[in-house]
Amino acid sequence: MLRKRFIFMLILLVILIGAPMFIIWQVKPTEALNLDYKEISIPSKIAEIVKSRKLEVQLTEQDINDLVKKQLAEHQVLPHDFRLEGAKLTLNGSNLEADLNLRWHDKLPISAKMMFTLAYHSPNMSIQHVSTSVKGTKIPSEWLHLDPIVFSIEDHLPLLIGVKNVVFEEKAVVVQLKALR
């Protein structure tokens, strides 16, 4: 009887210690990510306009990555004591998939995937958080939800040039421009 109780307690101890260790191992990031970004080069974009003879600028996936990372870097502190440490973004039309490295309570590193939608409502671009998952398991929005991030594309344009429309393509965003008076 004592031997059975000892074996039961040993198995229970292994489960109580092993399960959290397995979960921590499972959710930890596998890729080192950061929030480094480059400012978009306006002169090179103006050169594109001159070459193409169209009043439009194509923002590549990397440009969008830099724009969104800049916004995320300004919003690193997230609800429920999560902190954003790094991101890698993939554009798919108006959908944006973000692989993120988070840290919970400044201790537990977590790899998460967030889905966002991009929208343009003159004069602002908005990034709306849709869902979050950790290792394929969807996290309830009450646990980790981001408020929409809104920024102006026109802040990145020279004076006298405004945004006429924004078109979301597969791996790029086309910003159609207009001359301001």
Side-chain angles (χ1 to χ4, degrees), residues 49-74:
I49 294 171
V50 172
K51 281 182 194 174
S52 69
R53 296 184 182 144
K54 293 180 184 176
L55 272 179
E56 65 183 32
V57 173
Q58 185 174 31
L59 299 175
T60 64
E61 185 173 43
Q62 183 59 49
D63 294 332
I64 297 298
N65 200 338
D66 289 334
L67 276 172
V68 174
K69 272 189 173 183
K70 179 179 181 179
Q71 299 303 314
L72 290 175
E74 294 171 5

Side-chain angles (χ1 to χ4, degrees), residues 78-83 85 102-110:
L78 305 174
H80 301 289
D81 214 9
F82 282 95
R83 185 170 39 85
E85 295 186 330
L102 305 170
R103 191 164 295 270
W104 185 54
H105 287 284
D106 288 329
K107 292 182 177 118
L108 180 62
I110 298 172

Side-chain angles (χ1 to χ4, degrees), residues 18-127:
M21 296 298 284
F22 177 75
I23 291 170
I24 290 170
W25 175 75
Q26 192 68 19
V27 300
K28 79 176 191 177
T30 56
E31 186 177 357
L33 301 174
N34 59 47
L35 290 174
D36 296 342
Y37 62 90
K38 295 179 199 167
E39 290 290 337
I40 293 178
S41 172
I42 298 300
S44 69
K45 297 296 178 187
I46 300 231
E48 283 179 30
I49 294 171
V50 172
K51 281 182 194 174
S52 69
R53 296 184 182 144
K54 293 180 184 176
L55 272 179
E56 65 183 32
V57 173
Q58 185 174 31
L59 299 175
T60 64
E61 185 173 43
Q62 183 59 49
D63 294 332
I64 297 298
N65 200 338
D66 289 334
L67 276 172
V68 174
K69 272 189 173 183
K70 179 179 181 179
Q71 299 303 314
L72 290 175
E74 294 171 5
H75 299 88
Q76 282 184 278
V77 178
L78 305 174
H80 301 289
D81 214 9
F82 282 95
R83 185 170 39 85
L84 178 60
E85 295 186 330
K88 180 176 74 174
L89 305 151
T90 306
L91 183 64
N92 188 10
S94 64
N95 296 318
L96 188 67
E97 183 178 293
D99 292 311
L100 304 173
N101 285 354
L102 305 170
R103 191 164 295 270
W104 185 54
H105 287 284
D106 288 329
K107 292 182 177 118
L108 180 62
I110 298 172
S111 176
K113 186 175 295 274
M114 286 187 172
M115 300 301 291
F116 297 93
T117 57
L118 301 174
Y120 176 72
H121 306 286
S122 184
N124 296 319
M125 175 83 82
S126 68
I127 306 165

